[in-house]
Amino acid sequence: MLVFIDDSGDPGFKIEKGSSKIFIIAMVIFSDNLEAEKTSVAIKELRRKLKMSDLSEFKFNKSSKKFRIAFIDTVKKFDFKIRAIVVDKSLIYSQRLKTHKENFYNYVIMQVLKNSKSIKNAKLKFDKRGELELRNQLRVYLSQELDNKKNKVFKDLKFVDSRQNTLVQLADMVAGSIFSYYTKKDISFLEEFKKSKKIDDIWSFR
């Protein structure tokens, strides 16, 4: 099982200074490695079809509506599932989470994995972010909070460069589509994923 994870919105709580009111963590789940490879190749071929540089990456917030639609039309024929968590920050009361972005970020990822019982022995892949120490903190935190030795949620956790990993780019496009839907900017992108029966669960945190 391969799980690609990315976020949309931001983990900050200074709403009055521009922080987003909601925060999304999205997971794209492949149960078959070959299907993941086929999806990756299709995204690379789309990049060339759109005359993008081989070094360019698909990012929801930097893509035009035309490119977003082309991307979703390309990937929706492949076999993967989407699970995500939508956090309304007004429901977070812990000062530790509200004052430390990394703690909040780690907590939300833990919650979505904890509530995804179908994920077992997965290889988790995140977009590389922050310092090595912060990445190691996430690895240790998830291992402890998920009781990973017993529950075997994941067997591997890696941070990859999204510019070189098209399936992390897919997770970014999914997260952006969910964020756009829940902020009512444009619901059409997530609706396309729904129509193609890619949504396993989108959980609104309570």
Side-chain angles (χ1 to χ4, degrees), residues 18 39 90 107 109 114 122 128 136 151 153 186-187 191:
T39 310
S90 68
Y107 175 78
I109 290 171
K114 193 173 185 177
K128 191 179 288 184
N136 287 337
N151 294 321
V153 177
D186 191 330
I187 68 170
E191 289 293 350

mmCIF file of all heavy atoms in Angstrom, residues 18 39 90 107 109 114 122 128 136 151 153 186-187 191:
data_model
loop_
_atom_site.group_PDB
_atom_site.id
_atom_site.type_symbol
_atom_site.label_atom_id
_atom_site.label_comp_id
_atom_site.label_asym_id
_atom_site.label_seq_id
_atom_site.Cartn_x
_atom_site.Cartn_y
_atom_site.Cartn_z
ATOM 1 N N GLY A 18 -4.337 36.589 8.105
ATOM 2 C CA GLY A 18 -4.307 35.884 6.825
ATOM 3 C C GLY A 18 -4.219 34.370 6.875
ATOM 4 O O GLY A 18 -4.251 33.719 5.818
ATOM 5 N N THR A 39 -0.145 5.729 -13.102
ATOM 6 C CA THR A 39 -0.674 7.071 -12.827
ATOM 7 C C THR A 39 0.429 8.112 -12.951
ATOM 8 O O THR A 39 0.238 9.185 -13.539
ATOM 9 C CB THR A 39 -1.301 7.130 -11.419
ATOM 10 O OG1 THR A 39 -2.199 6.034 -11.253
ATOM 11 C CG2 THR A 39 -2.039 8.445 -11.207
ATOM 12 N N SER A 90 -11.487 26.846 14.397
ATOM 13 C CA SER A 90 -12.227 27.396 15.535
ATOM 14 C C SER A 90 -12.591 26.310 16.546
ATOM 15 O O SER A 90 -12.970 26.605 17.683
ATOM 16 C CB SER A 90 -13.498 28.112 15.059
ATOM 17 O OG SER A 90 -14.425 27.185 14.525
ATOM 18 N N TYR A 107 -0.437 16.578 14.665
ATOM 19 C CA TYR A 107 -1.668 16.093 15.292
ATOM 20 C C TYR A 107 -2.732 15.769 14.240
ATOM 21 O O TYR A 107 -3.402 14.729 14.318
ATOM 22 C CB TYR A 107 -2.199 17.150 16.262
ATOM 23 C CG TYR A 107 -3.539 16.824 16.882
ATOM 24 C CD1 TYR A 107 -3.643 15.918 17.933
ATOM 25 C CD2 TYR A 107 -4.710 17.424 16.416
ATOM 26 C CE1 TYR A 107 -4.883 15.612 18.494
ATOM 27 C CE2 TYR A 107 -5.944 17.125 16.966
ATOM 28 C CZ TYR A 107 -6.024 16.216 18.010
ATOM 29 O OH TYR A 107 -7.250 15.914 18.556
ATOM 30 N N ILE A 109 -2.283 15.021 11.040
ATOM 31 C CA ILE A 109 -1.884 13.818 10.294
ATOM 32 C C ILE A 109 -2.161 12.563 11.115
ATOM 33 O O ILE A 109 -2.673 11.560 10.609
ATOM 34 C CB ILE A 109 -0.395 13.892 9.908
ATOM 35 C CG1 ILE A 109 -0.191 14.962 8.840
ATOM 36 C CG2 ILE A 109 0.110 12.536 9.410
ATOM 37 C CD1 ILE A 109 1.235 15.268 8.527
ATOM 38 N N LYS A 114 -5.177 7.662 12.151
ATOM 39 C CA LYS A 114 -5.835 6.899 13.221
ATOM 40 C C LYS A 114 -7.261 6.513 12.827
ATOM 41 O O LYS A 114 -7.758 5.453 13.209
ATOM 42 C CB LYS A 114 -5.855 7.739 14.502
ATOM 43 C CG LYS A 114 -6.226 6.972 15.750
ATOM 44 C CD LYS A 114 -6.057 7.861 16.973
ATOM 45 C CE LYS A 114 -6.303 7.087 18.258
ATOM 46 N NZ LYS A 114 -6.071 7.946 19.459
ATOM 47 N N ALA A 122 1.578 0.423 5.374
ATOM 48 C CA ALA A 122 1.687 1.346 4.237
ATOM 49 C C ALA A 122 3.068 1.984 4.151
ATOM 50 O O ALA A 122 3.774 2.117 5.161
ATOM 51 C CB ALA A 122 0.624 2.434 4.355
ATOM 52 N N LYS A 128 8.635 16.912 1.184
ATOM 53 C CA LYS A 128 9.699 17.305 2.115
ATOM 54 C C LYS A 128 9.467 18.730 2.594
ATOM 55 O O LYS A 128 9.266 19.646 1.802
ATOM 56 C CB LYS A 128 11.059 17.200 1.427
ATOM 57 C CG LYS A 128 12.242 17.325 2.372
ATOM 58 C CD LYS A 128 13.559 17.175 1.615
ATOM 59 C CE LYS A 128 13.773 15.735 1.199
ATOM 60 N NZ LYS A 128 15.087 15.546 0.535
ATOM 61 N N ASN A 136 11.936 14.250 11.669
ATOM 62 C CA ASN A 136 12.141 13.127 12.590
ATOM 63 C C ASN A 136 11.128 13.154 13.731
ATOM 64 O O ASN A 136 10.670 12.109 14.196
ATOM 65 C CB ASN A 136 13.563 13.152 13.152
ATOM 66 C CG ASN A 136 14.598 12.735 12.122
ATOM 67 O OD1 ASN A 136 14.279 12.033 11.159
ATOM 68 N ND2 ASN A 136 15.834 13.159 12.300
ATOM 69 N N ASN A 151 -0.006 -1.841 15.889
ATOM 70 C CA ASN A 151 -1.072 -1.686 14.897
ATOM 71 C C ASN A 151 -0.603 -1.760 13.449
ATOM 72 O O ASN A 151 -1.422 -1.896 12.537
ATOM 73 C CB ASN A 151 -1.802 -0.365 15.141
ATOM 74 C CG ASN A 151 -2.540 -0.353 16.454
ATOM 75 O OD1 ASN A 151 -3.122 -1.357 16.857
ATOM 76 N ND2 ASN A 151 -2.514 0.784 17.155
ATOM 77 N N VAL A 153 0.380 0.392 11.201
ATOM 78 C CA VAL A 153 -0.254 1.324 10.252
ATOM 79 C C VAL A 153 0.687 1.588 9.081
ATOM 80 O O VAL A 153 0.271 1.550 7.916
ATOM 81 C CB VAL A 153 -0.628 2.647 10.951
ATOM 82 C CG1 VAL A 153 -1.217 3.638 9.946
ATOM 83 C CG2 VAL A 153 -1.606 2.391 12.095
ATOM 84 N N ASP A 186 -14.607 27.062 -5.379
ATOM 85 C CA ASP A 186 -15.002 26.346 -6.594
ATOM 86 C C ASP A 186 -15.199 24.882 -6.195
ATOM 87 O O ASP A 186 -14.240 24.213 -5.813
ATOM 88 C CB ASP A 186 -13.927 26.466 -7.675
ATOM 89 C CG ASP A 186 -14.415 25.978 -9.039
ATOM 90 O OD1 ASP A 186 -15.279 25.076 -9.067
ATOM 91 O OD2 ASP A 186 -13.929 26.495 -10.063
ATOM 92 N N ILE A 187 -16.424 24.417 -6.286
ATOM 93 C CA ILE A 187 -16.698 23.043 -5.846
ATOM 94 C C ILE A 187 -16.501 22.021 -6.962
ATOM 95 O O ILE A 187 -16.542 20.822 -6.724
ATOM 96 C CB ILE A 187 -18.132 22.920 -5.280
ATOM 97 C CG1 ILE A 187 -19.179 23.112 -6.391
ATOM 98 C CG2 ILE A 187 -18.359 23.910 -4.137
ATOM 99 C CD1 ILE A 187 -20.598 22.761 -5.963
ATOM 100 N N GLU A 191 -16.009 17.728 -7.026
ATOM 101 C CA GLU A 191 -17.153 17.020 -7.594
ATOM 102 C C GLU A 191 -16.703 16.009 -8.656
ATOM 103 O O GLU A 191 -17.278 14.919 -8.779
ATOM 104 C CB GLU A 191 -18.150 18.014 -8.207
ATOM 105 C CG GLU A 191 -18.907 18.857 -7.188
ATOM 106 C CD GLU A 191 -19.873 18.050 -6.326
ATOM 107 O OE1 GLU A 191 -20.100 16.863 -6.628
ATOM 108 O OE2 GLU A 191 -20.380 18.612 -5.345
#
